[in-house]
């Protein structure tokens, strides 16, 4: 599936050799998001990010029920996607478009490719969380037909 705003991508499983670099980069990015959301200092946020990755990806990219892919467009790496199939509804833990590839429609393409992977495995829905401050991602998910099913709110006192 693609559109003029969604150049086609292919997904390839992350290899063991690629895992450490991917994990380091992904944990740093995740820590930057969860720090403010959880009111953690940068060191505590990074520690929490690594702890969560280590808990979920006990065997790295070969962990059962964890699908970790690199996304390519015409042989060029454009991003990555991690979907957990541990529960009845698969869950997107991570989608990233490489910084130099942003704004070209690859986020949409990666999500559509992930949806197709889940569909081909017999799933009929896909879930994810998005940080409230990430309006670009929220707009993408809205445009792809994702609906809010729960919402956490906070007020600073």
């Amino acid at each position: 599936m693609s559109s003029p705003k969604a150049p086609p991508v292919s997904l390839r499983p992350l290899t063991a050799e690629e895992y450490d670099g991917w994990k380091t980069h992904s944990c740093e990015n995740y820590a930057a998001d969860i720090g403010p959301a959880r009111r953690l200092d940068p060191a505590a946020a990074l520690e929490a990010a690594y702890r969560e990755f280590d808990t979920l990806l006990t065997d790295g990219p070969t962990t059962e029920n964890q699908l970790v892919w690199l996304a390519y467009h015409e042989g060029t790496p454009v991003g990555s996607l991690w979907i957990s199939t541990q529960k009845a509804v698969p869950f997107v833990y991570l989608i990233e478009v490489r910084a130099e590839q942003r704004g070209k429609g690859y986020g949409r393409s990666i999500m559509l490719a992930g949806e197709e992977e889940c569909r081909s495995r017999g799933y009929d829905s896909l879930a994810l969380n998005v940080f409230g401050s990430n309006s670009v991602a929220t707009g993408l998910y809205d445009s792809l037909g994702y609906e809010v099913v729960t919402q956490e709110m906070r007020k600073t006192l």
Side-chain angles (χ1 to χ4, degrees):
M1 294 181 132
S2 67
S3 71
K5 300 254 324 156
V9 298
S10 58
L11 299 177
R12 164 180 78 65
L14 189 72
T15 67
E17 295 76 28
E18 296 164 327
Y19 180 70
D20 286 340
W22 173 85
K23 178 182 169 185
T24 298
H25 174 78
S26 297
C27 284
E28 289 169 355
N29 286 343
Y30 184 50
D33 287 332
I34 65 171
R38 297 180 187 173
R39 297 185 181 191
L40 300 171
D41 65 66
L46 188 58
E47 182 180 320
Y50 273 102
R51 190 172 44 252
E52 290 179 37
F53 273 62
D54 289 342
T55 298
L56 292 165
L57 293 168
T58 55
D59 293 320
T62 61
T63 304
E64 187 176 3
N65 299 316
Q66 302 296 326
L67 308 170
V68 185
W69 295 290
L70 294 181
Y72 289 85
H73 173 70
E74 298 178 347
T76 300
V78 296
S80 63
L81 179 65
W82 169 18
I83 298 177
S84 174
T85 59
Q86 285 183 308
K87 297 183 179 177
V89 176
F91 187 86
V92 176
Y93 272 105
L94 178 146
I95 174 176
E96 181 188 25
V97 175
R98 290 179 173 223
E100 70 276 10
Q101 300 294 345
R102 292 185 183 147
K104 300 176 183 179
Y106 291 122
R108 172 175 301 280
S109 299
I110 293 169
M111 285 300 297
L112 291 171
E115 290 174 7
E116 186 55 37
E117 281 284 341
C118 289
R119 206 175 287 109
S120 74
R121 295 165 190 260
Y123 296 102
D124 62 5
S125 57
L126 183 60
L128 54 82
N129 282 338
V130 61
F131 289 100
S133 61
N134 193 341
S135 59
V136 172
T138 301
L140 170 63
Y141 304 139
D142 284 343
S143 75
L144 288 169
Y146 286 79
E147 298 173 345
V148 174
V149 293
T150 123
Q151 191 168 348
E152 178 179 330
M153 298 176 81
R154 177 184 302 155
K155 177 182 178 181
T156 301
L157 303 177

